Structures are given as structure tokens and as C-alpha cells.
Amino acid sequence: MNFGQRYSSATITSALRIAALGSACCAAISVGVLLILNLAAPDRPFLVGFAGAALISVFVAFPLLIKLQLKGAETRIIQEKLNFATRHDAVTKTLNGTAFAAAVEHYIDRRRRIATDAGGVMIAVVIDSLDAISRRYGPQWADTVMQSLAAIIQSSVRSGDLVARIASNELGVFLPGASVENAQDVGTRIRRRVSDAAFTAGEAHLTIDIRLGGAIFEGPTDFNHIRQLADDMAMQRGGADSDEALPISRLPAA
């Protein structure tokens, strides 16, 4: 087996270190047991037993412990990949809708339980032209556009903000603790960077039309209310011809 192709150098080094320590412990325990027997019965030769116990511990325990460590590392890597796939969209690598909703609800609930303001802003980014791109050029180009838009949005938000794909043609952004001014700044950056970016499908230039809408809340509420209001603002007032970078509506406390 070529360990270098299956495992990282850090994983192999850690496995070797633990295996060496484990085999040394096994050797020490074996020699210790034989030493006790030798003291208990000094007329019996245990010198060969000392050497045998040490060699058996090294040549049996060491490779066995290496294998166990590497298998454990492989299992952890598989589990991490599975957890990531469960929570993230396969195309954009952002959070999926389920994980995004759970994260927002958790934020609201946690802030409510510690009796502090549970405010924040949700932004809906709707891509009007995505279906047309998929029909004309193929779904792979629609996926490429979504990947690019997700990257643009992630580079436009603040540290700690959440980005997710919440529908086939929609990305969601959650800005915990944000003010209207914070959200407007994010909306402005998103619009400017999308406008400056060049989108293509092969040799064809693509025109990307997005709608932005936001919803701000300052007290206990739920994810569905916030998302619905942000979607409504995007569809009603958030088109390319809007005078506002990000139209925002305030959600009354539940």
C-alpha cells in the first residue's frame, strides 16, 4: 500500500508517533512482567524472555497500531466530508437551505435565551436570468454562474456573515447584529462586483440580472417570516432599475 498517496504526511507522522509510543509501552509492560517473574523466581532464566517480549511488542504491536491509527484518520476524514456534504450545496459550496435556516433559527433562539437583542438582516439575491441561461446554454453554465455569484457574495460580506443557496436561482445572506447601514454597504458591494464581473458561456457573453431585497428584525421572529419579506422586497423593489442598492423592510416582532 502506498501510504503517501492515501494519507497526508501529517496523518502518517501522527500515526507513526502514536504507534511507536504504543509499541514501546507494550514492550515496557512485557519486560516489566517478566522482570517481576524473574525476581519472584531467580533460579529461572528469563533473559531470552526479555528480548523476545520486546521484539514481539515492536514487530507486532507497532504495525498493528499504525494500521489502527490510519484507519481512524480515514474514518474521520470520511465523516468530515459527509458532514460537509449534508450541510452545503454541491454547486456553490455555500450552506444549503436547511442548514441556513437552522443556523438563523439557532441565532435567534440563542440571543433570545440570553435576553439580548436578536436583531439582524437577511438579504435575498434572486438571479432573474438563470433559467434562461440554463435553457439556452445548458445547466452546466447555470451552475458556473451560481458558483461565480456565490464567490462574489462571499467576498462582499463581513466576517461571520452566512451565505447559502436557498433556491435554484436564489442565494441568501444573513447578517447577524447588522444595522440598515451595514446591510446597505453589503448590498452596494454585491451590485458593484456583479456589475464589474465578466460572465461567459464558452465564447458567449452573459448578462446577469439580479434582484436584491432585505428584511431587518430586532426581536424574536422565525426564519420563514424573514425570508418571505426579503423575497418580497427583492421582487417588488430590488431590480436592476431600482434607485436603492438594497431595499429593506422592517419585520415587526412576533
Side-chain angles (χ1 to χ4, degrees):
M1 178 188 299
N2 190 340
F3 287 146
Q5 293 179 351
R6 294 191 58 185
Y7 307 102
S8 67
S9 59
T11 299
I12 294 174
T13 300
S14 176
L16 288 171
R17 186 183 302 113
I18 294 174
L21 179 61
S23 59
C25 290
C26 290
I29 292 171
S30 299
V31 171
V33 171
L34 289 174
L35 180 60
I36 292 172
L37 292 176
N38 187 44
L39 293 174
D43 56 327
R44 298 185 178 181
F46 287 103
L47 183 59
V48 175
F50 289 161
L55 290 174
I56 290 173
S57 298
V58 170
F59 288 104
V60 174
F62 185 73
L64 179 60
L65 288 171
I66 284 182
K67 187 173 182 179
L68 290 174
Q69 288 298 316
L70 293 176
K71 285 295 182 183
E74 188 174 5
T75 300
R76 288 191 296 272
I77 291 172
I78 292 173
Q79 186 62 50
E80 288 171 1
K81 290 181 178 179
L82 179 61
N83 291 340
F84 185 89
T86 302
R87 290 176 46 81
H88 292 77
D89 174 62
V91 173
T92 63
K93 308 305 179 186
T94 61
L95 291 174
N96 59 33
T98 301
F100 183 63
V104 175
E105 291 281 6
H106 175 73
Y107 171 82
I108 295 171
D109 183 63
R110 178 173 57 84
R111 299 294 296 275
R112 182 172 58 243
R113 283 189 283 108
I114 61 177
T116 60
D117 175 29
V121 178
M122 182 178 295
I123 300 174
V125 184
V126 181
I127 301 89
D128 278 342
S129 51
L130 194 67
D131 288 341
I133 292 171
S134 181
R135 287 193 301 270
R136 182 170 181 179
Y137 300 104
Q140 70 276 15
W141 289 109
D143 287 347
T144 299
V145 168
M146 287 299 292
Q147 290 170 353
S148 299
L149 288 172
I152 289 171
I153 291 171
Q154 287 178 314
S155 70
S156 303
V157 300
R158 312 166 306 167
S159 174
D161 294 338
L162 302 179
V163 180
R165 187 175 188 177
I166 55 179
S168 61
N169 68 331
E170 183 177 353
L171 294 164
V173 183
F174 179 58
L175 314 176
S179 65
V180 171
E181 291 75 18
N182 297 146
Q184 291 285 359
D185 289 342
V186 171
T188 299
R189 286 197 295 271
I190 292 174
R191 284 197 186 275
R192 184 180 67 250
R193 291 177 183 178
V194 170
S195 177
D196 292 343
F199 297 90
T200 61
E203 298 296 326
H205 174 74
L206 300 178
T207 300
I208 304 301
D209 299 320
I210 64 170
R211 293 177 176 272
L212 295 181
I216 186 170
F217 61 98
E218 297 176 343
T221 182
D222 63 76
F223 174 81
N224 289 333
H225 285 161
I226 307 166
R227 180 188 173 182
Q228 184 61 56
L229 189 55
D231 283 345
D232 290 345
M233 296 301 294
M235 299 309 295
Q236 294 172 13
R237 294 168 45 189
D241 57 348
S242 174
D243 295 331
E244 304 171 274
L246 176 67
I248 299 178
S249 183
R250 188 175 299 275
L251 186 70

